[in-house]
Amino acid sequence: MTTEPLLRRLVGEVLRRRRREQGRILKDVADEARVSLAYLSEIERGRKEASSEVLQAVCRALDLRLVDLVGAAHAELAAAEGRVVLDLTAPDALSGRRTARAVPAPSRAVGGPADVVLLAA
């Protein structure tokens, strides 16, 4: 049995990935979220457990809904366990309509139907 990753690390990875996708630097996001640059860095590296208020402020600064942050962390945790995640909240890039999207799991044997996780919001 493998050790589950810490939630704070998953959350930090999601926030860092989102910030980098936007081409933004830590200082910009920290200033907009009204948290210190050092503290945001610690959150992104999974070294600090952020309060829900801080997470909401950082999500707002990144134009990210809290439900999407939690959903992305959930998908990564489920994938680490070898589960297939169907994200029913993902909008289709072309039509804008919501469609199911499978999040691939690592290649290892899974136990069957119980290993499918649905995300819906």
Side-chain angles (χ1 to χ4, degrees):
M1 183 175 200
T2 60
T3 303
E4 292 183 8
L6 295 174
L7 182 60
R8 70 174 186 250
R9 288 194 179 149
L10 295 171
V11 166
E13 289 170 10
V14 171
L15 293 174
R16 176 173 279 177
R17 184 170 51 246
R18 179 66 175 230
R19 178 180 59 78
R20 287 181 172 171
E21 286 170 356
Q22 294 177 359
R24 297 177 67 188
I25 61 173
L26 269 172
K27 182 174 180 357
D28 292 340
V29 176
D31 288 349
E32 190 172 335
R34 296 183 179 195
V35 298
S36 76
L37 183 140
Y39 188 57
L40 181 56
S41 175
E42 294 283 303
I43 292 168
E44 282 192 358
R45 288 183 288 147
R47 296 181 140 196
K48 296 288 183 187
E49 296 272 359
S51 69
S52 58
E53 291 86 357
V54 169
L55 285 177
Q56 188 163 25
V58 173
C59 283
R60 192 175 303 121
L62 292 170
D63 194 30
L64 179 69
R65 297 180 320 152
L66 192 56
V67 69
D68 295 326
L69 170 66
V70 173
H74 172 263
E76 290 185 24
L77 183 59
E81 293 182 355
R83 296 178 181 214
V84 174
V85 177
L86 296 178
D87 184 353
L88 301 178
T89 67
D92 178 50
L94 298 176
S95 69
R97 293 189 317 253
R98 298 198 183 276
T99 59
R101 176 178 59 92
V103 177
S107 57
R108 72 175 182 88
V110 294
D115 289 318
V116 174
V117 178
L118 298 177
L119 299 178

